[in-house]
Amino acid sequence: MSEFSKPYQEMIAILDFGSQYNQLIARRVRENRVYSELLPFDISREKLLSLNPRGIILSGGPASVLDKDAPLPHRGILKLGIPVLGICYGMQVLAYLSGGKIERGKGGEYGARKLFIDNEEDLFQGLGKSLTVWMSHKDEVSSLPGGFEVLAHTETCSIAAMRDKKRKLYALQFHPEVTHTPQGREIISNFLFRICRCSPEWTMTSFIEHAVQKIRHQVGKKRVICALSGGVDSSTTAMLINKAIGKNLECIFVDNGLLRLGEVEKIRKIFKEHLKLNIHFVGARERFLKRLRGVLNPEKKRKIIGEEFINVFAEEAEKLGKIEFLAQGTLYPDAIESVSTKGGPSATIKSHHNVGGLPEKMHFKLIEPLRDLFKDEVRIVGKELGLPREIIERQPFPGPGLAVRIVGEVTPKRLEILQQADGIVSEEIRKYKGYKDIWQSFAVLLPLKSVGIMGDERTYEYTIALRVVKSSDGMTADWVRLPYGLLERISQRIINEVNGVNRVVYDISSKPPSTIEWE
Ligand code: XMP
């Protein structure tokens, strides 16, 4: 353990059995201002104890304890005297290890169910007699292990929640972490504060203080380089490091010519003039466009842009003399990856390289100060460090920029058309009252030309597709039902104001099966 204080005194260890909801458990705990971490389910007793957890949560997962090779935690963790909460598969694990009986239920339970509370103490305190919960299980506990009592049931599941109060072992067959269990947050809060006796002290202010201390300790008087994109992750990383070491941070902003209308100027203004960061703006538009000439394949385009970025970044870094550290805006979901193989989960930490592929000889040491944070936490940190709303609330923008929003070859002319059209989309959408619920809204240029008529003239010009989606994480997305009036205004403005476009279409496909970007 390091000599400086942690940003939290107490933590909750979540043993990861591979459920798709695991990160949600961690988030729900942290929303209660208690730090939590996902850990491999087979973590050793010693390692777990060294983290000094106030409580342990056994997550859900795709396996069955009835299987021969079912993933199980170290038996000893139930005897540590630390409160345990088993969720779904975690409940079955708890029952199995305590001598209960688990059976394959008749058809299982999936979806919303009414839960009847049999005991309103601790875990269900203040929640009334019944509540709606989200079930997703085949197996169920059919007879209680010794020392346990039933806390709640559903019409088809007689043991939907149980506890052994003396040993502080608790379990839920349903998922309190998903929003489909509307009172799940209170249940988790009861576990944290009534059972584990945690105190809510995980705040972003304490995180910042700790991160600054840690960066100073790690870096000393040495220098750090950081690629700034203007997105919330890289911007927050830069602000945090700047707070710790000031001018010893060198930021590089690569203008690849594939950014949106006015974006470079905006970023320059915010970071250089307003926030006083030490930034080197590198104009590399010609280099990128030259390499993209004649390239139609989307994967090739991405590869070229990635490579060229590295080339530019490496050249600039070299000019700056000796720099020891490279800062990256890696977040917790990037750093932890749940892998479920043949029903048996494992949590592996992957090394995530936002600036992957830097030449070996550069030998940077990595610093990733946001590695423990979720995106919503990063936004709070960014805000506390003085980043303007424009950056904090910026929609995700792909690394290869507008190149993946021009279907086919990227040419200067097409780029100009797309930037103009996208500028209009952005201007109009921002006025829409539902703007804050939109995940991404942008224009795409299709290489398809079609016939139109303007005045008395026949035209033969490009098509712009409008893409506006809602999403919570970019993994799935639904197209937004924009009002016709807004669609009409955007279409009219693009056709009237942008030379080279005579048709606008609206993309009404969801993800899956379509993707958000067109390439
Ligand atoms: P798709 O198109 O796969 O996009 O549905 C999902 C989310 O990821 C963003 N995206 C990228 N972000 N580099 C990035 O940093 C990329 O190469 C990239 N490609 C897609 C996309 O904008 C959406 O939010």
Side-chain angles (χ1 to χ4, degrees), residues 302 396 398-400 439-440 474 511 515-517:
R302 279 175 185 272
W439 171 261
Q440 275 171 300
K511 173 181 180 176
T515 48
I516 296 176
E517 305 289 346

Side-chain angles (χ1 to χ4, degrees), residues 109-118 124 127-135 137 152-161 174 180-183:
E109 273 186 313
Y110 300 95
R113 287 287 185 279
K114 194 163 180 180
L115 183 83
F116 300 96
I117 312 244
D118 302 309
F124 291 115
L127 297 178
K129 293 270 174 243
S130 69
L131 46 131
T132 303
V133 298
W134 187 257
M135 288 283 192
H137 67 107
H153 66 276
T154 69
E155 266 180 12
T156 47
C157 178
S158 57
I159 311 175
F174 59 91
H180 309 296
T181 300
Q183 285 157 290

Side-chain angles (χ1 to χ4, degrees), residues 302 396-401 404-405 439-440 442 473-475 477 511 514-519:
R302 279 175 185 272
F397 186 64
V404 289
R405 294 181 180 172
W439 171 261
Q440 275 171 300
F442 55 86
D473 53 11
M475 303 296 284
K511 173 181 180 176
S514 305
T515 48
I516 296 176
E517 305 289 346
W518 275 51
E519 280 200 341

Side-chain angles (χ1 to χ4, degrees), residues 141-306:
V141 178
S142 57
S143 80
L144 282 177
F148 277 79
E149 61 184 314
V150 176
L151 294 182
H153 66 276
T154 69
E155 266 180 12
T156 47
C157 178
S158 57
I159 311 175
M162 60 179 197
R163 76 167 176 191
D164 175 339
K165 192 173 181 186
K166 214 161 125 221
R167 291 198 297 155
K168 297 189 212 135
L169 304 178
Y170 291 77
L172 304 169
Q173 188 52 71
F174 59 91
H175 289 273
E177 69 276 24
V178 301
T179 50
H180 309 296
T181 300
Q183 285 157 290
R185 201 189 158 124
E186 281 100 312
I187 299 173
I188 290 177
S189 162
N190 280 343
F191 177 67
L192 299 175
F193 301 118
R194 293 184 192 282
I195 297 165
C196 303
R197 304 273 165 202
C198 292
S199 26
E201 58 180 22
W202 164 249
T203 66
M204 290 306 106
T205 312
S206 62
F207 167 82
I208 292 171
E209 281 166 18
H210 171 260
V212 164
Q213 252 191 73
K214 193 170 162 188
I215 294 164
R216 282 188 188 142
H217 177 83
Q218 198 179 350
V219 173
K221 299 233 172 304
K222 304 215 167 82
R223 294 161 80 206
V224 179
I225 194 167
C226 169
L228 191 74
S229 70
V232 66
D233 304 345
S234 70
S235 304
T236 306
T237 303
M239 292 295 290
L240 199 52
I241 295 175
N242 180 58
K243 188 175 165 74
I245 61 164
K247 289 284 172 209
N248 276 348
L249 170 69
E250 306 277 359
C251 300
I252 294 184
F253 180 95
V254 177
D255 175 10
N256 57 12
L258 303 167
L259 302 172
R260 289 163 291 191
L261 194 68
E263 197 162 13
V264 181
E265 295 69 33
K266 218 184 282 172
I267 289 173
R268 188 189 289 269
K269 224 177 157 57
I270 293 174
F271 286 101
K272 206 155 189 158
E273 294 172 19
H274 186 57
L275 300 175
K276 310 265 181 251
L277 274 190
N278 193 5
I279 306 189
H280 306 269
F281 282 86
V282 190
R285 176 186 153 95
E286 297 313 318
R287 286 174 68 157
F288 280 85
L289 291 192
K290 192 167 159 210
R291 284 205 57 194
L292 287 169
R293 205 177 291 155
V295 183
L296 274 78
N297 181 293
E299 283 316 303
K300 257 200 188 138
K301 281 158 70 174
R302 279 175 185 272
K303 194 157 174 275
I304 288 172
I305 294 164

Side-chain angles (χ1 to χ4, degrees), residues 308-446:
E308 203 51 32
F309 176 83
I310 296 298
N311 292 342
V312 175
F313 187 83
E315 283 169 29
E316 291 305 311
E318 201 129 15
K319 284 185 206 159
L320 292 171
K322 182 152 178 52
I323 296 190
E324 200 144 325
F325 294 92
L326 170 72
Q328 289 195 157
T330 311
L331 306 194
Y332 192 50
D334 306 324
I336 187 134
E337 186 185 27
S338 279
V339 189
S340 276
T341 47
K342 57 177 178 58
S346 68
T348 50
I349 304 293
K350 72 177 174 186
S351 166
H352 181 84
H353 291 288
N354 290 330
V355 193
L358 280 177
E360 272 297 302
K361 69 177 166 72
M362 298 191 74
H363 288 314
F364 286 123
K365 287 183 196 147
L366 272 188
I367 30 177
E368 298 176 311
L370 308 181
R371 218 185 150 86
D372 289 334
L373 302 189
F374 286 110
K375 190 91 173 183
D376 38 352
E377 294 174 322
V378 173
R379 291 208 172 93
I380 302 171
V381 170
K383 199 165 160 219
E384 288 204 14
L385 291 170
L387 283 176
R389 274 178 61 178
E390 240 175 312
I391 301 283
I392 307 262
E393 290 166 13
R394 199 177 97 133
Q395 293 180 354
F397 186 64
L402 297 184
V404 289
R405 294 181 180 172
I406 293 174
V407 175
E409 188 183 0
V410 177
T411 66
K413 179 76 195 155
R414 288 179 178 183
L415 250 179
E416 196 193 326
I417 292 175
L418 181 59
Q419 280 175 332
Q420 300 290 330
D422 189 69
I424 293 172
V425 174
S426 161
E427 207 181 302
E428 291 298 332
I429 289 271
R430 271 168 209 277
K431 295 186 220 155
Y432 171 51
K433 65 175 181 351
Y435 179 71
K436 64 173 188 354
D437 300 321
I438 289 174
W439 171 261
Q440 275 171 300
S441 44
F442 55 86
V444 178
L445 184 138
L446 310 186

